[in-house]
Amino acid sequence: MLSKKLFKRAKTLIPGGVNSPVRAFKNVDGDPFFVRRAKGARIEDVDGNHYIDYVGTWGPAILGHAPNSVTGAIPEMAKDGVSFGIPHPGEVEMAQTIIDWVPAVEKVRLVSSGTEATMSCIRLARGYTKRDKIVKFEGCYHGHVDSLLVAAGSGALTFGEPDSAGVPASLAAETITLPYNDPAALEECFATYGDQIAALIVESYPANAGLILPKDGFLQQMRDITTQHGSLLIFDEVMTGFRLGKGGVAELEGISPDLTAMGKVIGGGLPVGAFGGRDEIMEHLAPNGPVYQAGTLSGNPLAVIAGLTQLREIDHNNGFMKLEALGARLEEGVRKILHEKGLGYTFHRKGSMFCLFFTEKPVFNLDDVETSNKEHFRRYFWNCLNKGLYMAPSPYETGFISMAHTFDDIDKTLEIMNESI
Ligand SMILES: *Cc1c(COP(=O)(O)O)cnc(C)c1O
């Protein structure tokens, strides 16, 4: 078993043997497999096992793994250079594409990860409003930014410690955390602290504690209350952006945030993030304004070309409609299985994102998510994996369908789920 051997060795070299905690399979009491290659909807591990994949490198792989268009574009670009640190045309093309697609973004800056994007939004909001407090919701993950690692969803939840050691108490004190889908709590928070709040940041659809959807009017309340108090509304669309539609949740729900954080899908599998918003706010960034933000590899030519290639391919192939059809087929099948087995578990889906909660409780917030039957999830996860189906190794994750999945793949998936649950 090569995976076992590699993991043993990795643990002597890398903390926990992984470069990001969610990869460690801690929440399913096991060890991760090591991947040899991945193509389309499928992964092959180093021991030669094959899996249908619904993790999709945690979101970016919307075309499936290693799409030919992207793997063709990268070496083509690399012939001319892999990093310049000098402006190049690809950055302008990427900025234009983001601004064309995302209605609330008038100016955009590229960074190298989603974490950098949210971190920069927070600093910009504080610099622009000259206020310090940030409001976030329990279960929303915005990357491992100090001020945002409070009650932060999947990775932190898996280890049962919502707050990270190493975050200064003085900094965490500037972050107010509210339960999601609770209009009264939001109202009270702004009534009390309104004039000190720089920004409210929210995962436009929270997708790092399973997939939670806003109750009718909750996003509009966020928009209204921040405007009323002179605070900024930041939509973290790192997960949802370019996955649920060209303009993300902001467009789907008709809400116009002041700032938007982006990542994952826009990088085509390479490290990219971006943040953007109203021109007047973005102009506060250096070199034009007083808010400093920078990056040696920001706008990296390989990452930009990979991302642009991916976005164009989704668009040219009617991608979002196809993904919706695949998602609908999966949803119909899962509901049928649950019904036939007499399981009242909650299933949420939006387009190509889905989550099966192992709880009969309707899920509106983190407390509801935590009523999940972890033991049942663990059994289900290993049964699926052993039959060639790779679902995320935690009950707090969202699943992703890619354009490389076929209706046959979905049917095969349902067959395995039916035998595994
Ligand atoms: C993944 C994620 C991030 C962090 O992005 P990284 O590229 O991992 O730094 C931020 N916000 C949301 C909503 C995410 O899903």
Side-chain angles (χ1 to χ4, degrees):
M1 292 288 283
L2 209 43
S3 276
K4 292 258 177 262
K5 261 198 213 152
L6 279 166
F7 192 53
K8 211 171 145 200
R9 190 167 153 223
K11 281 191 289 189
T12 69
L13 304 168
I14 305 169
V18 290
N19 283 313
S20 192
V22 291
R23 298 179 198 165
F25 279 38
K26 284 263 185 201
N27 215 38
V28 288
D29 292 337
D31 294 340
F33 61 83
F34 278 65
V35 60
R36 173 178 291 146
R37 58 170 77 91
K39 188 78 182 169
R42 283 179 168 67
I43 288 176
E44 181 187 338
D45 71 15
V46 290
D47 293 299
N49 301 304
H50 295 255
Y51 309 96
I52 305 177
D53 174 37
Y54 288 94
V55 181
T57 185
W58 305 91
I62 197 167
L63 298 175
H65 291 282
N68 292 340
S69 55
V70 175
T71 56
I74 293 171
E76 207 47 49
M77 180 71 233
K79 282 183 207 153
D80 291 334
V82 296
S83 176
F84 302 122
I86 301 168
H88 71 99
E91 294 170 273
V92 183
E93 280 307 307
M94 180 55 104
Q96 183 77 63
T97 303
I98 292 171
I99 290 164
D100 288 348
W101 285 27
V102 187
V105 174
E106 296 171 357
K107 275 217 173 87
V108 64
R109 182 162 276 174
L110 301 180
V111 292
S112 299
S113 71
T115 294
E116 269 185 83
T118 58
M119 180 184 78
S120 306
C121 283
I122 294 294
R123 184 177 305 139
L124 179 54
R126 284 173 164 157
Y128 175 80
T129 60
K130 302 189 171 65
R131 300 172 178 179
D132 288 340
K133 288 204 188 309
I134 299 293
V135 180
K136 77 176 286 288
F137 292 100
E138 290 164 7
C140 280
Y141 176 66
H142 303 291
H144 64 104
V145 184
D146 277 352
S147 323
L148 299 175
L149 261 189
V150 184
S154 60
L157 279 177
T158 299
F159 299 93
E161 45 178 45
D163 305 305
S164 168
V167 175
S170 56
L171 200 57
E174 301 294 352
T175 303
I176 302 167
T177 305
L178 302 176
Y180 192 71
N181 272 328
D182 186 340
L186 183 58
E187 187 67 48
E188 194 191 319
C189 171
F190 274 83
T192 312
Y193 300 106
D195 61 352
Q196 302 170 50
I197 296 170
L200 168 66
I201 185 167
V202 63
E203 276 190 75
S204 44
Y205 288 153
N208 281 286
L211 176 63
I212 305 177
L213 299 169
K215 285 183 181 164
D216 277 352
F218 193 52
L219 290 173
Q220 187 63 51
Q221 185 195 2
M222 290 180 205
R223 180 61 283 178
D224 295 343
I225 208 162
T226 45
T227 303
Q228 192 187 327
H229 290 271
S231 312
L232 300 187
L233 176 62
I234 304 170
F235 265 17
D236 179 350
E237 299 234 37
V238 171
M239 192 86 105
T240 49
F242 313 97
R243 173 160 283 278
L244 294 178
K246 280 178 140 183
V249 173
E251 186 179 51
L252 289 179
E253 299 276 352
I255 304 284
S256 191
D258 300 297
L259 292 173
T260 303
M262 294 158 275
K264 296 197 168 119
V265 169
I266 45 165
L270 270 66
V272 177
F275 67 102
R278 276 165 39 209
D279 191 11
E280 175 232 349
I281 302 173
M282 293 299 287
E283 282 299 313
H284 279 65
L285 284 174
N288 292 0
V291 179
Y292 197 71
Q293 187 278 331
T296 302
L297 295 177
S298 294
N300 174 270
L302 298 187
V304 162
I305 203 70
L308 272 175
T309 305
Q310 170 147 286
L311 294 182
R312 285 177 185 146
E313 190 166 335
I314 307 169
D315 192 24
H316 291 165
N317 290 302
N318 245 331
F320 301 114
M321 268 172 63
K322 286 186 184 161
L323 288 166
E324 170 59 31
L326 290 162
R329 174 100 146 214
L330 183 73
E331 176 170 0
E332 190 189 334
V334 171
R335 292 200 186 284
K336 188 157 162 262
I337 292 170
L338 293 176
H339 181 74
E340 283 172 8
K341 306 247 175 203
L343 288 166
Y345 287 170
T346 295
F347 184 77
H348 287 175
R349 178 186 73 85
K350 273 281 173 183
S352 55
M353 300 170 70
F354 66 90
C355 181
L356 174 57
F357 292 98
F358 281 63
T359 178
E360 306 215 335
K361 239 184 148 227
V363 173
F364 294 111
N365 58 37
L366 184 60
D367 285 348
D368 299 332
V369 174
E370 285 180 330
T371 63
S372 293
N373 183 335
K374 294 179 192 69
E375 183 47 43
H376 191 183
F377 174 82
R378 199 174 295 139
R379 267 186 283 129
Y380 162 80
F381 170 81
W382 287 110
N383 287 342
C384 286
L385 196 72
N386 290 331
K387 292 176 198 292
L389 180 58
Y390 178 44
M391 292 290 186
S394 159
Y396 306 121
E397 298 292 353
T398 294
F400 301 101
I401 303 170
S402 80
M403 287 183 57
H405 288 83
T406 62
F407 284 109
D408 282 348
D409 289 332
I410 301 285
D411 292 344
K412 177 74 191 158
T413 299
L414 289 165
E415 215 174 279
I416 297 175
M417 286 173 91
N418 187 43
E419 292 165 6
S420 300
I421 201 163

